[in-house]
């Protein structure tokens, strides 16, 4: 589902409250502390690579992004949970989801609504459009 968001920052509805996300400092800190986080948000991430879709099991779009400390990480979006995200290299995105510290590096997953309501809804925000939420 798409929602157009008119704001200079990411505007995320979470339990009826709105929060502005304009940087990646919490995400960078969690990665440096090697922490898995059930839900975390970050902004100003720059797309550095568009990876091939993962078509084994549920379909996922995958990208690499650069963070403010110049490290990189993967964003993994379950593309059957919402519209495809038309990202290009060099674009700036924001996202909220589950941080997993994997063997191949950190990744941000669950970038979509949770149909069972067990976790906060994830999202990707790119080019003024909000992807993956309800």
């Amino acid at each position: 589902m798409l929602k157009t968001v008119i704001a200079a920052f990411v505007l995320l509805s979470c339990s009826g409250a709105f929060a502005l996300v304009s940087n990646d400092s919490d995400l960078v800190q969690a990665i440096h502390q090697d922490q898995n986080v059930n839900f975390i948000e970050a902004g100003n991430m720059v797309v550095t690579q568009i990876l091939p879709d993962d078509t084994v099991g549920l379909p996922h779009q995958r990208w690499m992004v650069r963070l403010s400390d110049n490290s990189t990480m993967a964003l993994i979006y379950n593309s059957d949970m919402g519209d495809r995200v038309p990202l290009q290299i060099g674009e700036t995105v924001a996202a909220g989801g589950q941080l997993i510290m994997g063997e191949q590096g950190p990744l941000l997953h669950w970038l979509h609504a949770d149909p069972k309501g067990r976790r906060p809804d994830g999202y990707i925000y790119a080019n003024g459009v909000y992807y993956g939420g309800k």
Side-chain angles (χ1 to χ4, degrees), residues 33-90:
Q33 294 174 353
D34 198 31
Q35 292 180 333
N36 291 323
V37 180
N38 188 48
F39 185 80
I40 194 164
E41 297 173 277
N44 292 327
M45 298 179 288
V46 178
V47 177
T48 60
Q49 188 176 9
I50 298 172
L51 302 170
D53 285 2
D54 178 358
T55 58
V56 177
L58 298 174
H60 288 82
Q61 284 182 271
R62 305 178 307 150
W63 311 274
M64 294 299 294
V65 294
R66 184 178 62 247
L67 306 177
S68 62
D69 67 350
N70 285 319
S71 65
T72 58
M73 69 173 298
L75 299 182
I76 311 295
Y77 173 73
N78 188 332
S79 54
D80 71 346
M81 298 296 288
D83 293 330
R84 285 187 63 82
V85 183
L87 292 180
Q88 295 183 24
I89 293 173

Side-chain angles (χ1 to χ4, degrees), residues 1 29 34 42-43 83 107 117 121:
M1 298 175 139
Q29 181 179 3
D34 198 31
D83 293 330
L107 62 92
D121 289 337

Side-chain angles (χ1 to χ4, degrees), residues 3-12 21 41-45 47 63 75 77 85 87 91-96 111 122-133:
K3 290 182 184 176
T4 301
V5 178
I6 302 171
F9 299 98
V10 174
L11 193 57
L12 169 69
V21 180
E41 297 173 277
N44 292 327
M45 298 179 288
V47 177
W63 311 274
L75 299 182
Y77 173 73
V85 183
L87 292 180
E91 291 181 332
T92 301
V93 300
L111 304 175
Y123 67 94
I124 295 178
Y125 178 81
N127 299 312
V129 179
Y130 174 80
Y131 297 87

